[in-house]
Amino acid sequence: MQKGAIRVQTENIFPIIKKFLYSDHEIFIRELVSNAVDATQKLKTLASVGEFKGELGELDITVKVDKENKTITISDRGIGMTAEEVDKYINQVAFSGAEEFVNKYKDQGNGANIIGHFGLGFYSSFMISDKVEIISKSWKDAPAVRWECDGSPEYQLEETTRADRGTDIVMYVNEDSLEFLEDGRVRSILEKFCRFLPVPIKFHDEQINNPTPAWTKKPSELTTEDYQNFYKELYPFSEPPLFWIHLNVDYPFNLTGILYFPAIKKTYEMQKDKINLYSNQVYVTDEVKDIVPEFLMLLHGVIDSPDIPLNVSRSYLQGDPNVRKINAHITKKVADKLDEIFRNDRKSFEEKWEHTGLFVKYGMMTDDKFYEKANKFLVMEDVDGGTFYTLDELRNETQALQTNKEGKLVIIYSTNPVQQDSYVWAAKSKGYKVVKMETLVDAAFINTIEQKWDNVQFTRVDADIADNLIDANENKDSVLTEEQTTKLKDIFTFQLQSQPNIKVDFKGLAADAQPVIVTRSEFMRRMKDMAAVSGQANSWYSQLPDEITMTVNANHPIYQDILKEADGGRQQKLVRNLADLALLSQHLLTGADLTAFVHRSVELLKV
Ligand SMILES: Nc1ncnc2c1ncn2[C@@H]1O[C@H](COP(=O)(O)OP(=O)(O)OP(=O)(O)O)[C@@H](O)[C@H]1O
């Protein structure tokens, strides 16, 4: 049997690195600027431990484009490299000096903010270059060196002169990559990846980054204004955020960041991908799908974790145990923050509810841990606005009047208080409380929460006549004789014969209640709503006609007048109009039926 190490031939690996290592060519800037930042940070570390005793001076990193000579040059004043170091770190592909440095200095607590890990980043320069040159002078007393390579496995290394300590990387841009010689293109890449790098970065002498973004500071050093200003820096055109959470974890993983709750109102604006992921202040991605729980994707802000590698791939993130922990941590922090505001400043919590309610409900439906916490601060707003109840508070207020025969608390809700005004009015006049359930997630939320909350049932305010919202009641006495009822029933049935989904029901309600009330069964309406929301326009439920009950209030005085009407045609029309008025109030009268109603009304107005 033979054992051995697989040998990688550089002839084979170079084209692979050049072509396939990074699908996005623009990231060469991120890699090289990161190396320059690393070199600068390393020098600072050496100075702080007393190994480097010289002048640090300005430590800016400069990026310059020379269109005429077709070069891009990235220069730093970091530790530089000796000839031996170039040989070790650059000539040996995938031998990372960063890793070695971190290992050496980790006990001093200074190595942690080094970006490079794999020892491949430098080679991304060959994706856009015919030739790359390194001119470097180490901080140690050693001659400057010049390294040159044209992308073949052969390189040249020689002594040269460089006035000062540091490194220049000169890329001779190839014909396919001339776009990178445009100032605008380079600037936008720098702004994307390097906007918050910790060392000043200058593009043609203009600093493009903020080296000390808010999330890298301690919460105690920051004022409300600082947080708001940082939000503005991130999202210049957004409304001010409602509140924020400063994340700061160092065990069992490293994570810092600030998450902002944006103002979003009821409309579920599709502003996903607003959270940016950084690793040691280097921009990685705005695809944070697996790091941030889905229900919090609408949050804005920044997460920075050196535990997430720069070249993240989706499949990597999904499987990573750290990522799952980050996810759980963020959920907990958000729940704790909401709980804190709820307990310490209920008024402000309620003012924000129109924006936060959506998150909270969505979170309660999708995340059991969040549900546990949020159950304490979920509130329901009274239909009149301004009064908010938790479940316990609502139960206290309503259980005397709104507990049904099965012992269940019936929560009466309105999805649109303006449209459902007459029903809200009728319910309120019976002493019921009606709460708002207006957001996009409410239909689904109600279904979920009914399963979770014991002995609670939701009923939309127009699901039945007010008398029957809690329990179906027997008819009250009707003032109509049996004969009169039969006559009226016949007219209603005749008028509605083309609409078999409408069930006519005679009840003796209060004389001042509406003469005809149209209600839609809770069950069927919910099924249809859900089919609509989930886009199943052709599903079985959505194909079914609406199940509508038309309750005729036999005690309304208008029926006495109608029964007295001698003109049979006019009598039919009056009844039809009453039915149409009720349908109209439920937005169920449209098209030709609506036109006919208008014509008929005009005719009836003639004297
Ligand atoms: N500007 C620079 N100044 C000093 N040393 C540098 C510079 N650029 C690269 N090096 C050295 O070369 C090594 C290899 O760089 P390379 O970018 O290929 O890998 P890395 O930064 O270690 O890891 P990664 O693949 O994650 O970028 C670095 O670790 C560092 O020691």
Side-chain angles (χ1 to χ4, degrees):
M1 186 181 68
Q2 186 180 339
K3 274 189 176 179
I6 292 170
R7 290 174 295 273
V8 179
Q9 296 283 328
T10 42
E11 284 83 352
N12 301 338
I13 203 166
F14 233 127
I16 297 176
I17 291 173
K18 279 170 67 178
K19 278 221 164 69
F20 306 116
L21 184 58
Y22 301 101
S23 48
D24 244 348
H25 282 190
E26 63 181 30
I27 61 86
F28 79 94
I29 291 192
R30 179 189 79 187
E31 294 296 327
L32 296 184
V33 175
S34 296
N35 281 350
V37 169
D38 279 357
T40 310
Q41 301 290 59
K42 284 175 188 170
L43 188 73
K44 285 194 212 161
T45 300
L46 293 175
S48 73
V49 300
E51 250 177 75
F52 173 78
K53 295 192 174 68
E55 281 289 313
L56 284 176
E58 293 271 328
L59 290 173
D60 301 357
I61 291 162
T62 61
V63 180
K64 289 207 162 94
V65 174
D66 180 343
K67 225 170 163 176
E68 218 167 286
N69 293 313
K70 296 187 184 165
T71 60
I72 304 174
T73 304
I74 298 179
S75 308
D76 65 67
R77 293 193 64 255
I79 51 169
M81 284 179 277
T82 61
E84 294 75 49
E85 283 165 343
V86 171
D87 194 39
K88 185 172 167 192
Y89 299 136
I90 302 294
N91 292 340
Q92 290 184 44
V93 176
F95 181 89
S96 173
E99 197 87 51
E100 193 187 54
F101 188 90
V102 172
N103 287 339
K104 188 166 166 202
Y105 289 96
K106 67 173 177 250
D107 298 337
Q108 277 139 328
N110 278 315
N113 52 358
I114 302 294
I115 303 159
H117 278 306
F118 303 116
L120 289 173
F122 166 74
Y123 282 93
S124 64
S125 54
F126 285 98
M127 295 192 304
I128 60 112
S129 311
D130 284 331
K131 184 173 90 174
V132 180
E133 225 174 63
I134 304 175
I135 297 152
S136 192
K137 183 164 165 47
S138 168
W139 65 284
K140 297 170 196 159
D141 190 18
V145 284
R146 191 178 153 280
W147 175 94
E148 183 192 304
C149 176
D150 63 2
S152 71
E154 258 110 69
Y155 65 90
Q156 288 172 33
L157 184 61
E158 63 190 8
E159 268 189 29
T160 185
T161 49
R162 193 184 193 273
D164 197 6
R165 167 204 80 219
T167 304
D168 306 310
I169 309 286
V170 187
M171 286 158 276
Y172 293 82
V173 175
N174 65 32
E175 285 301 314
D176 292 341
S177 308
L178 297 178
E179 56 178 303
F180 296 109
L181 292 172
E182 299 302 326
D183 279 3
R185 179 87 170 99
V186 174
R187 177 185 296 274
S188 75
I189 301 171
L190 284 169
E191 280 167 359
K192 177 173 171 189
F193 291 110
C194 307
R195 192 173 173 192
F196 297 116
L197 280 176
V199 178
I201 292 154
K202 290 186 173 155
F203 180 54
H204 293 310
D205 296 327
E206 189 194 329
Q207 182 163 337
I208 54 93
N209 65 327
N210 166 5
T212 52
W215 84 84
T216 60
K217 299 178 186 166
K218 288 202 192 82
S220 58
E221 293 169 5
L222 294 163
T223 62
T224 298
E225 213 189 337
D226 292 333
Y227 284 109
Q228 281 168 342
N229 286 342
F230 183 56
Y231 187 77
K232 233 182 264 165
E233 191 179 340
L234 290 172
Y235 314 106
F237 304 111
S238 294
E239 272 185 62
L242 299 178
F243 57 92
W244 44 88
I245 296 165
H246 198 138
L247 301 164
N248 201 342
V249 195
D250 45 34
Y251 184 83
F253 48 85
N254 281 295
L255 178 81
T256 50
I258 302 175
L259 291 180
Y260 289 94
F261 268 73
I264 53 154
K265 309 250 164 140
K266 275 163 255 162
T267 45
Y268 185 91
E269 288 161 33
M270 296 311 272
Q271 282 190 319
K272 290 194 172 180
D273 293 350
K274 277 284 191 172
I275 299 176
N276 293 319
L277 178 66
Y278 287 78
S279 179
N280 279 325
Q281 294 172 242
V282 187
Y283 173 82
V284 180
T285 176
D286 60 7
E287 289 256 337
V288 295
K289 223 171 166 179
D290 299 298
I291 299 163
V292 176
E294 211 206 321
F295 76 97
L296 294 174
M297 292 286 284
L298 292 168
L299 295 184
H300 293 173
V302 170
I303 292 175
D304 188 333
S305 177
D307 295 337
I308 298 170
L310 282 184
N311 303 303
V312 279
S313 73
R314 287 291 313 282
S315 52
Y316 170 83
L317 284 181
Q318 279 165 353
D320 189 69
N322 275 338
V323 169
R324 262 179 277 129
K325 280 183 216 150
I326 291 173
N327 203 306
H329 179 80
I330 292 174
T331 305
K332 182 179 173 306
K333 281 282 175 191
V334 169
D336 289 350
K337 180 75 188 183
L338 286 163
D339 190 50
E340 178 197 313
I341 306 176
F342 176 75
R343 278 185 292 107
N344 299 341
D345 189 356
R346 170 99 180 230
K347 194 161 169 290
S348 141
F349 182 88
E350 289 174 352
E351 279 163 10
K352 295 180 171 88
W353 185 251
E354 103 176 277
H355 307 277
T356 54
L358 192 79
F359 289 102
V360 173
K361 288 172 184 170
Y362 194 26
M364 287 175 80
M365 289 192 286
T366 52
D367 189 308
D368 285 343
K369 286 226 169 81
F370 185 79
Y371 169 85
E372 295 297 325
K373 295 196 174 217
N375 220 2
K376 292 183 212 114
F377 55 71
L378 176 101
V379 289
M380 291 167 273
E381 188 181 7
D382 190 276
V383 80
D384 291 333
T387 314
F388 293 82
Y389 309 97
T390 62
L391 173 62
D392 285 345
E393 289 161 357
L394 189 64
R395 199 189 288 278
N396 277 342
E397 287 276 332
T398 58
Q399 64 186 355
L401 284 180
Q402 293 178 219
T403 304
N404 69 12
K405 283 184 195 129
E406 296 161 38
K408 281 192 176 178
L409 181 75
V410 179
I411 298 181
I412 303 172
Y413 67 98
S414 167
T415 47
N416 189 331
V418 174
Q419 262 182 28
Q420 293 153 4
D421 183 72
S422 62
Y423 301 89
V424 171
W425 179 86
K428 284 203 305 197
S429 56
K430 293 204 63 98
Y432 301 152
K433 293 251 178 270
V434 182
V435 295
K436 285 189 206 172
M437 286 285 169
E438 297 175 285
T439 69
L440 205 80
V441 296
D442 277 323
F445 178 69
I446 286 170
N447 284 327
T448 314
I449 215 77
E450 271 179 342
Q451 318 275 325
K452 300 204 179 213
W453 285 352
D454 284 340
N455 284 324
V456 170
Q457 169 194 319
F458 281 83
T459 301
R460 197 164 98 171
V461 70
D462 60 347
D464 211 326
I465 55 167
D467 279 3
N468 287 0
L469 280 173
I470 309 302
D471 281 306
N473 283 310
E474 292 308 307
N475 272 2
K476 290 218 190 79
D477 288 341
S478 158
V479 295
L480 297 180
T481 63
E482 212 165 296
E483 197 187 335
Q484 286 176 317
T485 309
T486 315
K487 170 128 191 85
L488 270 177
K489 250 186 201 159
D490 286 348
I491 303 176
F492 269 100
T493 316
F494 178 72
Q495 283 301 328
L496 296 166
Q497 61 190 342
S498 62
Q499 283 152 288
N501 57 320
I502 302 183
K503 193 178 109 210
V504 182
D505 196 13
F506 273 63
K507 288 228 160 81
L509 307 176
D512 61 354
Q514 306 278 355
V516 182
I517 304 162
V518 162
T519 54
R520 301 165 73 188
S521 122
E522 178 79 15
F523 175 76
M524 188 55 92
R525 201 210 73 246
R526 268 198 215 183
M527 289 305 169
K528 287 175 75 80
D529 282 356
M530 272 174 16
V533 167
S534 58
Q536 299 167 310
N538 296 320
S539 78
W540 186 71
Y541 277 116
S542 62
Q543 300 282 316
L544 287 180
D546 239 322
E547 212 174 73
I548 294 167
T549 304
M550 195 173 270
T551 304
V552 178
N553 175 12
N555 289 343
H556 198 283
I558 194 152
Y559 294 112
Q560 301 296 338
D561 296 340
I562 290 175
L563 285 163
K564 276 188 217 134
E565 175 61 57
D567 179 346
R570 187 174 158 83
Q571 197 176 39
Q572 289 280 347
K573 283 177 186 154
L574 286 169
V575 166
R576 178 75 231 192
N577 253 34
L578 284 177
D580 280 356
L581 278 171
L583 288 169
L584 196 62
S585 76
Q586 265 283 22
H587 294 259
L588 292 169
L589 193 67
T590 53
D593 291 338
L594 182 59
T595 312
F597 167 73
V598 174
H599 286 308
R600 195 184 321 112
S601 302
V602 173
E603 212 181 302
L604 285 170
L605 288 171
K606 281 189 203 149
V607 275

